[in-house]
Amino acid sequence: QVQLVESGGGLVQAGGSLSLSCAASGRTLSDYVKAWFRRAPGKEREFVAGMTWSGDSTTYADSVKGRFTISRDNAKNAVYLQMNSLKPEDTAVYYCAASARYGTIYINDRYYDYWGQGTQVTVSS
């Protein structure tokens, strides 16, 4: 079992950048598919970015492609989300997730076994 804790959220102006971190404990994140999701007010949770367990492949939602980057640091047992050119519509609670299912990067949150508590990102216009 793995425990996930996000950090790095905050308030930023449109066009700015934020970097989110997800620290894992209990097991190594390299054993899991890793992803970031978000939930905006009044909306369902949606996939943002994901990485295979080996780290050799990443996938992004169309809405963030070219602006967000998912990365990992095996030594720190952490995964990150670098967010650039932020827009007000990026405002949401961002969640780190891990799936014990090997294979593809799942965009459906039902396939993820472990979740962090979330961190708020607010982008002002």
Side-chain angles (χ1 to χ4, degrees):
Q1 195 166 2
V2 63
Q3 294 78 43
L4 304 172
V5 178
E6 303 97 335
S7 60
L11 174 63
V12 64
Q13 288 189 331
S17 298
L18 277 176
S19 182
L20 304 184
S21 300
C22 175
S25 61
R27 289 193 63 175
T28 176
L29 270 180
S30 59
D31 290 341
Y32 299 89
V33 171
K34 299 156 279 290
W36 288 93
F37 287 77
R38 67 186 181 187
R39 188 195 302 271
K43 295 187 177 181
E44 293 188 352
R45 187 161 55 189
E46 64 174 358
F47 174 85
V48 175
M51 175 182 286
T52 54
W53 66 272
S54 64
D56 62 353
S57 181
T58 56
T59 298
Y60 297 91
D62 287 344
S63 59
V64 306
K65 201 170 294 183
R67 300 188 298 122
F68 290 12
T69 303
I70 186 171
S71 63
R72 66 173 184 172
D73 186 330
N74 287 340
K76 295 184 177 179
N77 204 24
V79 63
Y80 307 97
L81 186 68
Q82 178 64 42
M83 305 184 294
N84 299 327
S85 302
L86 283 161
K87 305 175 181 179
E89 51 264 44
D90 295 318
T91 294
V93 177
Y94 283 71
Y95 298 90
C96 175
S99 172
R101 296 165 176 82
Y102 287 135
T104 188
I105 300 167
Y106 305 99
I107 62 172
N108 192 317
D109 61 2
R110 74 177 65 179
Y111 294 112
Y112 288 83
D113 306 288
Y114 306 103
W115 294 86
Q117 82 288 351
T119 186
Q120 176 71 47
V121 171
T122 303
V123 184
S124 62
S125 57

